Amino acid sequence: MLFEHKILETVIDQAYEWIVVVDHKGTIVYMNKNYCDFLGKKKEEVIGKHVTEVIENTRMHIVVQTGQEEIADLHYIQGNYMIANRIPIWMDGKVIGAVGTVIFRDTNEWKRMNSHIKSLLPQLQTYLQEWKEHSGAKYTLNHIISVSKQMEQLKEKVKRIADSDISILIRGESGTGKELFAHSIHQLSSRSDQPFVKINCGAIPEHLLESELFGYEDGAFTGARKGGKKGKFQLADGGTIFLDEIGDMPLHMQVKLLRVLQEKEIEPVGATKTINIDVRIIAATNRPLEKMIEEKLFRQDLYYRINVVPFFIPPLRERPEDIEPLIHHFLDKVCKRSGKRIRSITPDVMDILRRHMWPGNIRELENVIEASVYFASGETITLEALPEYLRTTGVYQTDGKTLKQLLEEAEKQIIQQSLQRHHFDKQKAAKSLGISKSAMYEKIKKYGI
């Protein structure tokens, strides 16, 4: 039996098709040698990883979820179109995994087929561009660069809840990567082939927000487009809507949003009847919603509706082990885009980058790396290439302030950071700082936090 097993494994390994097998979670349990060679990876590198982390544009995890086979499907991978078959594996009435094969002929025949397919695509270019602008999720978990325990746990959490329709609230400071997580959740869900629509609640003027979200009928108001316009919720029907900066949404719109969540229907501006919609809500904010609820600036019932599964993305300063991988990632990204060749970073620069508190988080780090690449005079990023504010962070600027003022500024910053870290739970924040709850309230009042 062992000999027969060896023969079978050798045959499959050398099969002309590329073969991959995943379990019920979408985790790779087998990939043959030809597929590994094409991807430029070793078997031990791919076994145990989620299929979306290894194969671009894969739908293997979706086949596991739906139990529906997909035969002769076009699969765009590494710049070419391939033909993919995806078959669910059933046992005792349950899907326990899926097997996928990528089929191709000899290189010349495939190039001719690939060229033919590409020649047809311009006919669809207008539609594809519109879909990309309005409905495309661009990021996956692969775009979230991290090695820290906190971030790896968050990625695992994404995999566990992505396929549900539960509303999710993503919390975190500006620049921590909230949008990347929203995209990744959609990409791993059974809605991944449906629209992903983003709207920034803080970037749209208040008087336009309702028509942007829910659309409007013909003649609804002066200047309305002839024939009316679909809102973001209608565009997202069947898929996911990402409400970024939901903490900036005005109260009257919060009431309307709550009704949409409860009734699963919208009413366009100027309409006389409602429209049923099926969307999943992912919201994000860096605002202290709990404090806003106390101040009557955010509805408590809406908060409980969207906060079914809370995600808190820690700031970069709380996961310093992620700084260096991110530096190398952004360095490679900027060099490819700019055509510049940077081979190294001097130790003193790396030390500054590791010690900086990064108040702007990952977005600030990316901007710093990009500026440093362009200002580098050779193939090494030296101190002179860094933005000036980073070169002077070692010297504290007093600007004529007294010691008392400087200490108060530091205390205020520490309290703000502690409140954010504990999701504005004042009791937990006070306990972490070793002060009483009443003392915490006094300091919050003193500094107007």
Side-chain angles (χ1 to χ4, degrees):
M1 287 296 290
L2 181 61
F3 178 68
E4 291 175 357
H5 176 78
K6 273 290 184 185
I7 291 177
L8 181 60
E9 186 175 351
T10 302
V11 169
I12 295 174
D13 250 358
Q14 297 178 11
Y16 201 52
E17 293 90 354
W18 302 334
I19 300 170
V20 62
V21 181
V22 301
D23 65 12
H24 67 288
K25 294 180 180 178
T27 302
I28 296 173
V29 295
Y30 176 79
M31 180 179 285
N32 75 338
K33 184 177 183 299
N34 280 346
Y35 209 161
C36 289
D37 290 345
F38 172 74
L39 295 173
K41 296 181 181 295
K42 296 179 180 178
K43 276 191 181 182
E44 54 266 28
E45 292 178 319
V46 301
I47 303 300
K49 285 192 174 181
H50 196 272
V51 67
T52 56
E53 298 178 47
V54 178
I55 304 173
E56 64 178 312
N57 301 316
T58 184
R59 289 179 52 80
M60 290 291 290
H61 59 297
I62 295 171
V63 169
V64 170
Q65 295 158 5
T66 63
Q68 299 294 315
E69 66 179 26
E70 298 181 357
I71 304 296
D73 187 34
L74 276 179
H75 186 169
Y76 188 75
I77 182 169
Q78 294 197 8
N80 285 310
Y81 289 91
M82 308 290 181
I83 305 295
N85 293 326
R86 309 178 188 96
I87 311 293
I89 303 169
W90 292 83
M91 184 178 288
D92 297 329
K94 293 181 179 179
V95 177
I96 62 167
V99 59
T101 57
V102 178
I103 305 170
F104 62 99
R105 301 297 184 207
D106 66 87
T107 307
N108 290 330
E109 184 179 342
W110 178 249
K111 283 181 178 176
R112 287 195 298 272
M113 189 188 298
N114 189 48
S115 297
H116 175 65
I117 294 169
K118 286 183 174 178
S119 71
L120 298 175
L121 287 180
Q123 301 172 31
L124 302 172
Q125 202 59 44
T126 303
Y127 168 78
L128 291 172
Q129 184 61 33
E130 184 178 343
W131 181 87
K132 185 177 179 181
E133 289 175 359
H134 295 289
S135 317
K138 299 181 291 184
Y139 308 111
T140 67
L141 286 180
N142 288 334
H143 292 93
I144 302 172
I145 309 301
S146 63
V147 295
S148 63
K149 184 178 178 180
Q150 306 102 299
M151 293 297 284
E152 294 308 298
Q153 286 175 341
L154 280 180
K155 289 180 183 180
E156 287 301 316
K157 190 175 182 180
V158 167
K159 294 173 186 177
R160 288 198 304 272
I161 56 87
D163 197 40
S164 69
D165 276 338
I166 298 172
S167 298
I168 294 171
L169 177 62
I170 305 173
R171 311 284 292 270
E173 295 177 11
S174 179
T176 51
K178 296 187 289 295
E179 185 172 347
L180 268 65
F181 272 93
H183 283 242
S184 299
I185 291 167
H186 174 77
Q187 293 276 35
L188 284 174
S189 75
S190 56
R191 296 174 179 261
S192 61
D193 58 341
Q194 297 298 317
F196 176 86
V197 178
K198 174 193 171 184
I199 186 164
N200 189 322
C201 302
I204 300 173
E206 187 172 329
H207 65 285
L208 296 177
L209 189 56
E210 183 174 2
S211 60
E212 279 294 313
L213 284 175
F214 308 131
Y216 56 80
E217 295 289 298
D218 188 5
F221 50 82
T222 304
R225 182 191 296 177
K226 185 175 176 60
K229 179 185 175 183
K230 287 185 177 181
K232 299 293 187 184
F233 270 88
Q234 275 182 278
L235 293 173
D237 192 27
T240 304
I241 191 163
F242 175 42
L243 300 174
D244 200 8
E245 307 298 346
I246 195 170
D248 295 332
M249 183 178 281
L251 277 169
H252 76 279
M253 283 303 301
Q254 293 177 31
V255 176
K256 293 179 182 291
L257 176 59
L258 183 64
R259 182 171 179 269
V260 172
L261 291 171
Q262 290 172 336
E263 307 298 331
K264 298 190 183 303
E265 61 184 25
I266 60 167
E267 186 175 330
V269 177
T272 56
K273 59 181 181 179
T274 59
I275 300 172
N276 293 328
I277 49 104
D278 170 29
V279 295
R280 183 192 195 165
I281 303 285
I282 300 177
T285 186
N286 61 1
R287 301 284 299 276
L289 296 186
E290 293 81 2
K291 182 182 178 185
M292 292 176 69
I293 290 170
E294 291 178 8
E295 297 172 350
K296 309 297 182 186
L297 297 175
F298 199 86
R299 291 185 63 95
Q300 189 173 39
D301 45 8
L302 177 59
Y303 172 78
Y304 289 127
R305 268 285 185 174
I306 62 175
N307 196 38
V308 179
V309 177
F311 269 78
F312 179 74
I313 305 176
L316 193 52
R317 62 182 171 274
E318 291 184 10
R319 44 188 177 99
E321 58 267 52
D322 287 339
I323 292 174
E324 196 162 337
L326 283 164
I327 289 171
H328 293 299
H329 169 72
F330 290 135
L331 193 58
D332 183 59
K333 178 181 174 182
V334 175
C335 286
K336 284 180 179 175
R337 189 171 64 231
S338 66
K340 291 199 69 173
R341 179 182 292 180
I342 301 295
R343 294 184 180 276
S344 61
I345 300 174
T346 60
D348 57 341
V349 169
M350 190 62 83
D351 187 53
I352 288 173
L353 296 177
R354 288 195 195 99
R355 288 190 291 108
H356 185 58
M357 293 297 286
W358 300 110
N361 291 294
I362 297 170
R363 191 178 294 129
E364 181 190 2
L365 176 57
E366 183 173 11
N367 291 337
V368 165
I369 297 301
E370 183 165 17
S372 301
V373 167
Y374 281 101
F375 280 110
S377 55
E379 295 185 350
T380 301
I381 293 179
T382 61
L383 199 60
E384 291 70 29
L386 283 181
E388 187 177 353
Y389 78 95
L390 281 173
R391 284 180 267 153
T392 58
T393 50
V395 180
Y396 199 93
Q397 304 295 318
T398 61
D399 297 325
K401 295 173 184 174
T402 66
L403 177 61
K404 181 182 178 183
Q405 289 171 321
L406 293 171
L407 290 172
E408 286 179 342
E409 283 182 4
E411 185 178 52
K412 180 180 178 181
Q413 186 177 8
I414 291 168
I415 289 172
Q416 285 175 322
Q417 291 176 2
S418 181
L419 285 168
Q420 288 173 345
R421 189 177 300 119
H422 295 284
H423 313 297
F424 290 84
D425 185 319
K426 300 178 184 65
Q427 189 167 351
K428 288 183 180 178
K431 186 177 180 181
S432 70
L433 294 174
I435 61 176
S436 66
K437 189 177 178 181
S438 59
M440 174 62 80
Y441 274 100
E442 287 175 9
K443 293 182 186 298
I444 288 172
K445 184 177 179 181
K446 175 183 177 180
Y447 297 123
I449 298 173

